[in-house]
Amino acid sequence: MRVVTDRNEMARLCREALRPLGLVPTMGALHGGHLALVAQARRENATLAATIFVNPAQFGPHEDLAGYPRDLERDLALLRSQGVDLVYVPPVEEVYPPGFDTWVEVGRLAARLEGARRPGHFRGVATVVTKLLALVRPDRAYFGQKDAQQTLVVRQLVRDLDIGVVVVVVPTVRDPDGLALSSRNAYLTTEQRRAAPVVYRALCRAEQLWRRGEREGERLRREVRLALQGERLVEEIDYVSVADAATLEELDRVAGPALVSLAVKLGRPHLIDNITLG
Ligand code: AMP
């Protein structure tokens, strides 16, 4: 496994790599969710590249950039054990050198949900993903369904900017009690961790009602909210959404595929999760 910090060297190694070349972008603090992306990408490509970069551009001024969990040695050992060929770990100045002044802005899709909760977040995501795709030029790039809106934003920018890459979305990996794996779960106290599965339970409540024939968006949203409010450690419900799975427009009635998604503040972190209906 080659660990690369220099972008010219990364570009050269990717140019010379056996095809197909797969890319798994991450912010490190790796867990089983990341490893599911890596495992699938390993099976589907001759060469596998991963990146570890905590992207300052996708953090708001009051978010957890400085405190974001980091453990490079452990991450590299995990990636090595999964058979990754190339890992790009750029310093911030390598990605955003002095004078950097071009941004990728995805429109309507990026304004909703996480985009409304975290202004500028998807501008940072879209910019860094575009840069990584331009540098690595992979045949396939892998993203987790855990960040459903991010997968839609990436698909949109790949389409709009004529980037010839196949975007592969990998199902959410959960702990046995339903909590979606996330680097930010490390912030939870024991008590908060015990309460956190309420997030997935609330989503499952919507699915249960939908299976019984409930199609009214507002009723599904209300039931998810009620389930969340039943847990006193949920300090704040940022949003509960039942939206068109392609456009993220809120639905009055569920007719086709719908994304049920939510964000809540539980202790220090905001937890996000989603499921798809239909
Ligand atoms: P991050 O390091 O949080 O930027 O995540 C890197 C990639 O891993 C993103 O595409 C995430 O959607 C994906 N990911 C994170 N958590 C999970 C999970 N629990 N299941 C599947 N994919 C995940």
Side-chain angles (χ1 to χ4, degrees), residues 169-186:
V169 177
V170 178
T172 303
V173 178
R174 302 177 181 284
D175 268 337
D177 62 8
L179 180 65
L181 301 188
S182 163
S183 308
R184 290 190 170 95
N185 292 351

Side-chain angles (χ1 to χ4, degrees), residues 24-37 51 53 58 68 142-148 150-151 168 170-175 179-185 273:
V24 179
T26 82
M27 299 206 298
L30 301 181
H31 52 63
H34 298 110
L35 298 185
L37 271 61
T51 63
F53 180 61
Q58 70 188 68
Y68 194 82
Y142 294 79
F143 297 88
Q145 177 64 23
K146 161 80 169 27
D147 299 284
Q150 173 170 278
T151 68
V168 182
V170 178
T172 303
V173 178
R174 302 177 181 284
D175 268 337
L179 180 65
L181 301 188
S182 163
S183 308
R184 290 190 170 95
N185 292 351
D273 201 351

Side-chain angles (χ1 to χ4, degrees), residues 149-178:
Q149 189 176 10
Q150 173 170 278
T151 68
L152 296 174
V153 165
V154 170
R155 281 192 198 285
Q156 175 99 40
L157 78 86
V158 161
R159 205 166 45 239
D160 290 351
L161 301 180
D162 304 316
I163 302 176
V165 64
V166 175
V167 174
V168 182
V169 177
V170 178
T172 303
V173 178
R174 302 177 181 284
D175 268 337
D177 62 8

Side-chain angles (χ1 to χ4, degrees), residues 4-8 10-15 19 21-28 49-58 86-92 94-96 100 102 104 123-143 150 154 157-158 161 163-165 167:
V4 184
T5 55
D6 177 271
R7 62 187 150 147
N8 294 320
M10 185 64 185
R12 183 180 61 76
L13 289 167
C14 292
R15 256 195 324 272
R19 297 275 161 170
L21 168 60
L23 172 67
V24 179
T26 82
M27 299 206 298
T51 63
I52 299 175
F53 180 61
V54 182
N55 175 31
Q58 70 188 68
L86 285 171
V87 187
Y88 182 45
V89 192
V92 173
E94 195 75 5
V95 180
Y96 301 111
F100 181 90
T102 300
V104 179
R123 178 191 199 241
V125 170
T127 301
V128 83
V129 168
T130 302
K131 284 176 63 79
L132 292 172
L133 293 175
L135 182 77
V136 173
R137 299 180 179 261
D139 299 286
R140 302 190 183 93
Y142 294 79
F143 297 88
Q150 173 170 278
V154 170
L157 78 86
V158 161
L161 301 180
I163 302 176
V165 64
V167 174

Side-chain angles (χ1 to χ4, degrees), residues 68-267:
Y68 194 82
R70 293 167 211 242
D71 192 342
L72 184 59
E73 287 317 309
R74 180 176 170 276
D75 289 348
L76 292 177
L78 279 169
L79 294 177
R80 197 172 289 118
S81 76
Q82 300 293 309
V84 173
D85 300 300
L86 285 171
V87 187
Y88 182 45
V89 192
V92 173
E93 320 79 66
E94 195 75 5
V95 180
Y96 301 111
F100 181 90
D101 203 16
T102 300
W103 299 93
V104 179
E105 194 99 50
V106 173
R108 269 189 304 252
L109 203 49
R112 303 173 184 281
L113 306 177
E114 285 300 288
R117 177 172 86 80
R118 308 177 67 186
H121 171 67
F122 284 119
R123 178 191 199 241
V125 170
T127 301
V128 83
V129 168
T130 302
K131 284 176 63 79
L132 292 172
L133 293 175
L135 182 77
V136 173
R137 299 180 179 261
D139 299 286
R140 302 190 183 93
Y142 294 79
F143 297 88
Q145 177 64 23
K146 161 80 169 27
D147 299 284
Q149 189 176 10
Q150 173 170 278
T151 68
L152 296 174
V153 165
V154 170
R155 281 192 198 285
Q156 175 99 40
L157 78 86
V158 161
R159 205 166 45 239
D160 290 351
L161 301 180
D162 304 316
I163 302 176
V165 64
V166 175
V167 174
V168 182
V169 177
V170 178
T172 303
V173 178
R174 302 177 181 284
D175 268 337
D177 62 8
L179 180 65
L181 301 188
S182 163
S183 308
R184 290 190 170 95
N185 292 351
Y187 297 142
L188 298 170
T189 65
T190 311
E191 200 195 7
Q192 290 159 355
R193 174 63 190 81
R194 228 177 277 135
V198 71
V199 168
Y200 184 57
R201 273 205 312 279
L203 293 170
C204 290
R205 174 75 182 134
E207 182 174 27
Q208 183 190 41
L209 292 168
W210 176 81
R211 282 189 193 287
R212 290 182 193 158
E214 180 59 73
R215 293 293 182 269
E216 217 178 291
E218 194 45 44
R219 204 163 292 160
L220 293 168
R221 286 185 285 269
R222 190 189 331 133
E223 288 292 328
V224 172
R225 260 196 222 100
L226 278 175
L228 293 169
Q229 284 160 355
E231 172 51 64
R232 71 179 169 84
L233 294 185
V234 171
E235 291 168 35
E236 221 177 289
I237 300 175
D238 301 295
Y239 60 82
V240 170
S241 162
V242 176
D244 182 288
T247 65
L248 298 185
E249 278 171 48
E250 287 302 318
L251 293 171
D252 293 333
R253 279 198 72 75
V254 178
L259 184 77
V260 185
S261 66
L262 63 82
V264 296
K265 184 168 190 301
L266 204 161

